[in-house]
Amino acid sequence: MSDTSATNGLDAYVGWLSERGHTFASYEELWQWSIDDLEAFWASVWDYFEVKGTYDRVLASREMPGAEWFPGARLNYAEHMVGTPEDRDTPAVIAFSQTRARVDLTFGELADQVGRARAGLARLGVGHGDRVVGFVPNIPEALVAFLACASLGAIWASCAPEFGARSVVDRFSQVEPTVLIAVSGYSYGHKDIDKSDELATIRKGLPTLRHVVGVPYGSHEVDDALPWSELLAEPAPVAFDRVAFDHPLYVLFSSGTTGLPKAIVHGHGGILLEHFKTQAFHLDVRPGDCSLWFTTTAWAMWNIWMSALLRRATIVVVDGNPLFPDLLQQWRIAAEARATLLGTSPAYLMSCRAAGIEPARAVDLSRLRTLGITGSPLPAEGFDWSDEQFGDQVRINSISGGTDVCSGFVAGNPWLPVYRGELSGPCLGVDVTAYDPKGEEIVGEVGELVIRQPMPSMPVGFWKDEGGDRYRSSYFDEYPGVWRHGDWVTMSPHRSFVISGRSDATLNRGGVRLGTAEFYAVVEELPEIADSLVVHLEDPQGGAGKLLLFVATADGATLDDGLRDKIRAALRKELSPRHVPDAIDEVPAIPRTMTGKKLEKPIKQILLGKKASEVISADAVTDFDAISAFRVP
């Protein structure tokens, strides 16, 4: 692999391709080749990153669902993560926490801990196909446990400890784990959070458990458990069992706001290739870089972010309240770690903008090169604010993908311009476009985001979905043989994208589809509004129905007729008269999933007469008590 920290990953890869007879004058040409010749592209990714292992061919079957990638391959994701003896002294992990002091690990120290944990898990009887689950924050022990598990060919799943016991059991019980690795509490800002009662309930709800490993965290100890120190007590060389390309690596869970969460199985090979590609070509993570992404162990971004280790970059592990003691904290951590990439949310950037924070002046961010944005669309004003703060030094890379593929569909890269309010273009190897209801590609209009050809990291399947019926109905019911992701998207003539919201939270007013993201961009720009949620209740007779807007006001503001008029005027001016809601009501908070997504569909179902208990799992969402305030005005 020809790559240096001074050269962006895409330039280095294209230079490598040119030496092998493939030349490209533009990103569009490169992307077109990557989807026209999937086998050549993914073979090049395997070869360029020097994947350890062999295979018979690249793509034995293109059928979706059921594409067969790299039959005969034997590899291990973790083998590529822990480094080689030459990387021994290279920084691998910097861990910040509100529960304990900073922790630093080199690749050599990481490999030593993974080897010890692997041996400890093997002593507990863990082997190929066994499930190990973690009720743990984003701390180094979570990374070590996962990599040790993967090295054995066992299967990992995790939940963040802010989840309630019922939500954890709903997830973990599906995979029938034999080992639980857990904390019994943590700190969150000034608060000391005791999770011992929830942990006891979780243990009772998992009858297949044979062992519990307790991770001491601050003043919290796990009772009646094997201490983490004993699991790692015996030195052992790190080793890796090479497994089939589609051998399960981990199980990720959908939000679980309505019904049992989907248990999405991802394989070693698909994740390895997708994350090599994503980290190097789209996030532009280079050897020697430092990657910081604020995430929890319950979100797919945890799995994506940690793969910066594949590039021999340092990852910054953060646990606690990212807004403590104030809004500047994320920037402080980025400065102390000397981060080259900071991944965060649109809500955070817009809050910094509203508060008048100037991070580039407040702290030393001279190494920062990329702002990664995901979770929801970043309003155009967020792009403006970033440009005002950093100018050409920092590239905004707004990314959209999903837990379902643990990767991105559309994102930026060093070869594409940054378009204000848009996602720059399709990811390499991803045949992404917009479809109308007839299954035809559309440009400049809102349509369904679809993927027309297979990706290696599409799920191996759903856990215990032996016939694949739930998997097929989740993605392939609308357009047979084509993946429908469930997002509304507008594709421009130059293949940039605007995500308008979830298509299953339909706003279809008089036959015109309206995206929720554009509502929020306008409403939440108003200083009096802290958060908002919009719902459309259809008219069975085909009329316009009712468009309802719920707002949580900022401190010191009150929703009165004057503010309602101001909201309506802003929506009419910035969007259209069709976007003006029929009613605007105040609620104490906007409930979200644990990964920050607004509960548009469940709230709509409640307004249509469903009981909250029928459509929402209380401990899978934030601000559950606020749901009772939602009603049809």
Side-chain angles (χ1 to χ4, degrees), residues 38 104 156 170 227 289 314 342 352 382 428 434 444 471 513 564 633:
L38 284 178
D104 290 65
W156 173 261
D170 281 350
D289 274 357
T314 307
L342 170 61
C352 289
L428 292 176
Y471 181 30
R513 289 178 290 181
R564 287 187 175 90

Side-chain angles (χ1 to χ4, degrees), residues 616-628:
I616 299 174
S617 176
D619 51 5
V621 302
T622 65
D623 297 300
F624 179 79
D625 291 342
I627 290 172
S628 61

Side-chain angles (χ1 to χ4, degrees), residues 1 7 9 67 142 149 217 229 236 301 368 378 402 407 413-414 510 529 578:
M1 180 175 66
T7 304
C149 181
Y217 204 43
S229 58
M301 276 312 307
L368 190 64
L378 177 66
S407 185
N413 65 70
I529 303 302
R578 194 180 292 272

